[in-house]
Amino acid sequence: MRVSVIIPTYNGAGRIGNVVQCLSRQTHLPDEVIVVIDGSTDHTKEVVRALAPPQFRIRIIEQENRGRAHVRNTGGHAASGDLLIFFDDDMLPEPTCVAEHVAHHRTNPGSIVTGPQVNVIPEGGSDIMNYKIYLSHKWSAELVVQEARPLPLASPFITAANFSISRQLFM
């Protein structure tokens, strides 16, 4: 199973290096990483190029600012893998994260996986950031209860920050 990791970013120069480094330490390395830069005005592209590890190919796609859904769709359509994994540019995937996504899809073909996010409340964080983290904890509480089981159809929850889907189902 070929794996494409898609990372959407907007002005992520100060964040994206961490996720790229985490991906280079995965127990199951992705076959490609696609970084889609959504109209950034900072030096995200240069940061990604400077940190590109030799373990996998990184493709950079730049587009005008079109928003989260569009940037994820751009990355998904450009991917060549059988499995598409989406990570946000501020994520720090554990070393087994890609392997766990792959294992799930091998056992449960045709499914969609939403993995948990661990948000650390930064000291001195803004009210907006603290509220975002509060909502994330509130919304993901059900995921902890349902861990490794399908969510009830009456209450679906999908976060695209740590998300995987087969290329075939995505298309």
Side-chain angles (χ1 to χ4, degrees):
M1 179 181 301
R2 289 185 39 81
V3 177
S4 297
V5 170
I6 296 108
I7 305 169
T9 186
Y10 172 76
N11 286 340
R15 299 180 302 270
I16 198 158
N18 294 324
V19 68
V20 171
Q21 289 175 351
C22 286
L23 289 173
S24 71
R25 295 189 294 263
Q26 292 293 303
T27 58
H28 183 119
L29 292 170
D31 295 287
E32 69 178 349
V33 173
I34 301 171
V35 176
V36 185
I37 300 173
D38 192 31
S40 293
T41 57
D42 66 1
H43 57 284
T44 302
K45 183 176 182 178
E46 291 76 16
V47 169
V48 173
R49 281 190 176 151
L51 293 174
Q55 294 96 320
F56 48 79
R57 180 175 72 127
I58 291 187
R59 291 176 49 202
I60 299 171
I61 299 172
E62 291 182 280
Q63 66 178 36
E64 68 180 57
N65 186 265
R66 302 286 301 273
R68 291 179 179 206
H70 193 277
V71 75
R72 285 185 174 93
N73 286 338
T74 296
H77 286 286
S80 64
D82 306 303
L83 179 63
L84 310 181
I85 302 175
F86 295 84
F87 290 129
D88 280 356
D89 66 358
D90 61 349
M91 293 200 60
L92 303 173
E94 293 289 330
T96 60
C97 190
V98 171
E100 290 177 35
H101 278 276
V102 170
H104 175 88
H105 285 278
R106 284 190 174 137
T107 305
N108 304 284
S111 62
I112 297 171
V113 175
T114 298
Q117 290 175 256
V118 177
N119 294 302
V120 178
I121 298 175
E123 191 173 317
S126 70
D127 287 343
I128 295 292
M129 180 57 72
N130 290 339
Y131 186 66
K132 178 184 175 255
I133 292 170
Y134 161 78
L135 287 177
S136 181
H137 284 273
K138 180 180 173 185
W139 294 335
S140 63
E142 183 68 17
L143 291 178
V144 174
V145 174
Q146 297 289 332
E147 189 171 339
R149 294 188 318 222
L151 290 174
L153 292 177
S155 59
F157 176 90
I158 296 177
T159 175
N162 180 3
F163 171 82
S164 61
I165 186 170
S166 71
R167 178 175 174 72
Q168 181 180 8
L169 190 56
F170 178 84
M171 292 303 177

